């Protein structure tokens, strides 16, 4: 799902490259500290009690020079992260990645084919909009939690746990990449 973008940086060019070189993990950690990560992890874990899908959150401060040279956008990078974290490798093909590319102010949701087949695209759009709107107000953590809650509700309808405790196939811990 293409995420909404806050038009703060140009998509390509020298300014984008310089901005990505300036932004680092400390910028993301300033907002997503240990307490925030704990809240996000708990939200993911609580949601997964109601469904047998898998959800991950990853925030990346910026892209490296090779990605910038190839003009990789947030969607392309989110798909790469989805693959490298093996989110596609779940039993029912129902893994979902919520990805934030901080330097581009972009949110992307990548869902495996099982989740994509059962969940209305409007759910992904709504989750992106909730997150984007909260970020515009400086409420980044609340935005992530709101988006994850929306996704968890949709996953619970599409893949209900039925009261059966299913194994956690992927870690619930949020990630900061680069």
């Amino acid at each position: 799902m293409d995420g909404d973008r806050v038009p703060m940086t140009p998509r390509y060019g020298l300014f984008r490259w310089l901005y990505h070189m300036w932004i680092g993990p400390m910028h993301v950690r300033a907002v997503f500290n240990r307490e925030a990560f704990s809240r996000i992890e708990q939200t993911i874990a609580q949601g997964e009690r109601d469904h047998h899908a898998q959800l991950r959150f990853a925030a990346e401060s910026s892209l490296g020079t090779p990605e910038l040279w190839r003009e990789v956008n947030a969607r392309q990078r989110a798909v790469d992260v989805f693959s490298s974290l093996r989110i596609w490798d779940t039993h029912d093909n129902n893994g979902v990645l919520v990805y934030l590319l901080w330097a581009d102010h972009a949110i992307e949701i990548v869902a495996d084919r099982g989740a994509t087949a059962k969940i209305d695209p409007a759910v992904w759009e709504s989750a992106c909009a909730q997150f984007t709107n909260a970020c515009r107000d400086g409420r980044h953590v609340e935005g992530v939690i709101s988006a994850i809650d929306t996704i968890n509700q949709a996953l619970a309808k599409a893949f209900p746990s039925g009261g059966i405790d299913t194994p956690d196939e992927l870690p619930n811990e949020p990630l900061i990449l680069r």
Side-chain angles (χ1 to χ4, degrees):
M1 178 75 354
D2 287 336
D4 293 335
R5 288 173 176 60
V6 179
M8 301 274 294
T9 58
R11 289 186 186 219
Y12 306 105
L14 179 61
F15 183 74
R16 181 179 188 238
W17 183 84
L18 290 171
Y19 193 70
H20 276 258
M21 294 301 106
W22 179 68
I23 296 292
M26 69 276 193
H27 292 94
V28 176
R29 284 192 181 100
V31 173
F32 295 103
N33 56 28
R34 285 185 183 158
E35 178 189 342
F37 264 30
S38 178
R39 288 178 58 203
I40 294 167
E41 185 173 0
Q42 289 172 1
T43 302
I44 292 170
Q46 287 171 351
E48 288 183 356
R49 289 186 191 109
D50 297 330
H51 59 75
H52 64 268
Q54 297 295 305
L55 182 63
R56 295 281 332 245
F57 171 72
E60 190 159 28
S61 59
S62 58
L63 299 177
T65 301
E67 290 92 359
L68 292 169
W69 183 258
R70 292 191 322 267
E71 297 184 339
V72 170
N73 63 31
R75 179 66 181 176
Q76 292 164 326
R77 180 63 183 142
V79 170
D80 288 345
V81 170
F82 181 88
S83 176
S84 68
L85 294 176
R86 298 180 62 96
I87 296 171
W88 50 267
D89 197 19
T90 61
H91 183 265
D92 292 320
N93 300 310
N94 57 5
V96 177
L97 171 67
V98 177
Y99 173 81
L100 170 65
L101 180 54
W102 189 266
D104 281 355
H105 306 275
I107 177 78
E108 296 290 340
I109 297 174
V110 181
D112 204 351
R113 61 188 176 271
T116 301
K118 291 188 172 189
I119 296 177
D120 188 323
V123 171
W124 311 124
E125 293 168 12
S126 173
C128 282
Q130 290 169 3
F131 183 59
T132 300
N133 292 334
C135 288
R136 284 187 182 128
D137 297 337
R139 299 177 303 108
H140 299 85
V141 177
E142 290 78 10
V144 170
I145 290 172
S146 176
I148 289 171
D149 280 339
T150 296
I151 294 167
N152 273 332
Q153 291 170 14
L155 290 171
K157 288 179 185 173
F159 304 99
S161 68
I164 300 169
D165 191 20
T166 58
D168 207 357
E169 296 178 75
L170 298 172
N172 298 329
E173 172 188 15
L175 297 171
I176 292 182
L177 309 170
R178 204 178 321 194

